[in-house]
Amino acid sequence: MNAIEARDLSKWFGEGETRTNAVQNVAFDAHFQEMLFIVGPSGSGKTTLLSMLSGILRPNQGTVKIKDQDIWSLSADKLADMRLHTVGFVFQDFHLFPKLTTVENVAVPLILKRRKWDEAIKEALQALEKVGIAQRAGLSPQKLSGGEQQRVAIARAIVSQPDILVLDEPTASLDGDTGRKIVEFVKRDILNAQRCIIIVTHDDRISEFADRMIKMEDGRVMEIEKGQGHA
Amino acid sequence: MTGILKIAYKLLVNDKGKFAALLIGITFSVFLMIQQTSMFAGMMRKASATVTNTGAKVWVMDRAVTSVASSIPMPDFMRDAARSMKGVKFAVPLYLGAGLARLQDGTYQGVSIIGLDDSSLFGRPELIEGNIEDIYAENGFVVVEDAESPKLENPKLGTTFEINDNRGVIVGIAKVPASGLFGIPTLYTTFSRAIQYIPSLRSTVSYILIEPTSVAAIPGIKIEINKLGYEALTEDEFIDRITNFYKYHTGMGTNILIMTVISFIVGLSISAQTFYTFVLENLDRFGALKAMGAKGRELVYMLLFQAGITALAGYGLGIGLCTILIAAARLRVPDYASVITFGNLALAFGMVLVIAAISSYIAVRRVLKIEPFDIFRS
Ligand SMILES: Nc1ncnc2c1ncn2[C@@H]1O[C@H](COP(=O)(O)OP(=O)(O)OP(=O)(O)O)[C@@H](O)[C@H]1O
Ligand SMILES: [Mg+2]
């Protein structure tokens, strides 16, 4: 079973003269235990593609299957549940709540899954331990460095054990060295046999960790190549 | 669900600046609304004091009467006419007027004088000292002990004074549920003495008080009285008429209405705006929640819960503040008029709910519009 199967995926914005073809007829599979990069110049459709794969942007055409389930045939509520249970998100700007403590931020997905507060906090602490910043659990994310905030965002994304982890420009807000370390950490400690990780980036310094790379240009996949990180 | 609400609570309360601004807005607005309306309620209770103290079921009066103090005398035959109507158990006259009392030290003090029907003394107050029969004694008056009685130098049984150049003597001291609006002492005497001591027109009856045989008889009595060119109102109708008069035909009531509306608008704009800013500031995070799988209605519950908490807390604080202020004012002004009625509280509560509803409605609309995709693109 593939983690993700995308077929004939297209997304356009606007109509007629002003129509932009953000993503055109994209097809590929993503596998478990794979770190898949989506790269390409600005405006090439990376974010649009990632959003369609992860169930937050409806394609105009084509299908996305996650573990054989056609996600865009689900109702809105079912789709939200799918994201809650199957996908972990790391956003470029993290989007952590400054008025919640770090550990509370990490517990949010569990709370959304209706887990008991105390249990959720306990598991969130374990996730923070995994990303190596459990000692910051009681602080506001505002008090943390960029790299630390990124780790909190990763902890939040993995706390409910998602099959798919998507990271949009995970190194864009970090200095080069910190960014590299984070991705290395994700590859080493977060990737596993039950998980597929997709990273959108145009940061060359981290390409060494890619198992495969999808290269995009003008909304099309130019090529899919084996990355340097392929085992 | 409770976990989600707990997060909503923390997001709100930990944002101390905004939470304080919201609370201040609502507290202030509730405070003003209750303060204004309770002031009005208190004044209206006083304005209708004679009506409530007398306790008659039906009041007959000239059609032009707008408030109890502005009575217009009716001819004596009305009393007999009322007596002989079907459904009337008894009908008695009431005199209401103002006199000028000259105190021992030679100063003058305006007083309100109520003349009770000589034979029945219907509408008499409860005496705390003295005997009601003594009202028939020569120059007998009963004084009401309330916040105004010190203005008559705290009269005791046997105290004498002059009233409109006639001698008066205190034969009883009474307590009444409500005292009047105009801040002058009240004296009770008999109808006949009242019209004898106080210069009157040829017509002398201020009101005719009717005790109907049953509630069902009241509509018939009203029709009969109407045929004679006068008007019969139940106690509640009379109080309503007085209240409406002050509400709509005096500057006082209109101002209070305007102030109440303004406090509502101020509260609404402060809290709606602050709440909206609060939501805007957290917009990308709410979007992130949506992306992660939070459903629209869960975000709506969070916002409603936040608005609800703020509204309730502000409501409580507003009431507390108002109570403290009224208590403090009473210490200095014993007959300070304000009374907080259930009506005031309900009105303010209703307005707070409207404020919370509108504030959260604006916020909810904004949050429901967030596209999680935009969060990725930010
Ligand atoms: N909501 C939208 N409305 C209109 N056009 C859009 C919208 N979202 C994306 N586009 C367009 O679709 C194209 C692809 O955008 P996308 O954000 O996917 O690119 P990207 O590869 O992620 O770029 P970047 O590296 O700058 O993040 C661009 O031309 C963009 O202007
Ligand atoms: Mg992008």
Side-chain angles (χ1 to χ4, degrees), chain A residues 76-142:
Chain A
D77 272 7
K78 284 265 161 30
L79 189 62
D81 280 335
M82 186 283 295
R83 295 198 299 268
L84 190 56
H85 291 94
T86 314
V87 187
F89 292 90
V90 178
F91 308 99
Q92 179 177 334
D93 298 326
F94 318 141
H95 299 311
L96 299 167
F97 285 104
K99 301 299 176 186
L100 297 181
T101 62
T102 295
V103 67
E104 286 164 353
N105 265 289
V106 174
V108 163
L110 299 174
I111 299 293
L112 289 176
K113 286 166 89 171
R114 302 285 196 273
R115 298 288 295 279
K116 285 214 177 66
W117 182 270
D118 293 342
E119 275 177 35
I121 294 291
K122 211 171 112 200
E123 283 176 41
L125 258 176
Q126 287 165 2
L128 280 176
E129 257 161 39
K130 184 154 178 97
V131 300
I133 48 169
Q135 74 281 8
R136 297 277 195 266
L139 294 180
S140 157
Q142 266 176 332

Side-chain angles (χ1 to χ4, degrees), chain B residues 12 78 201:
Chain B
L12 175 73
M78 271 306 293
L201 306 173

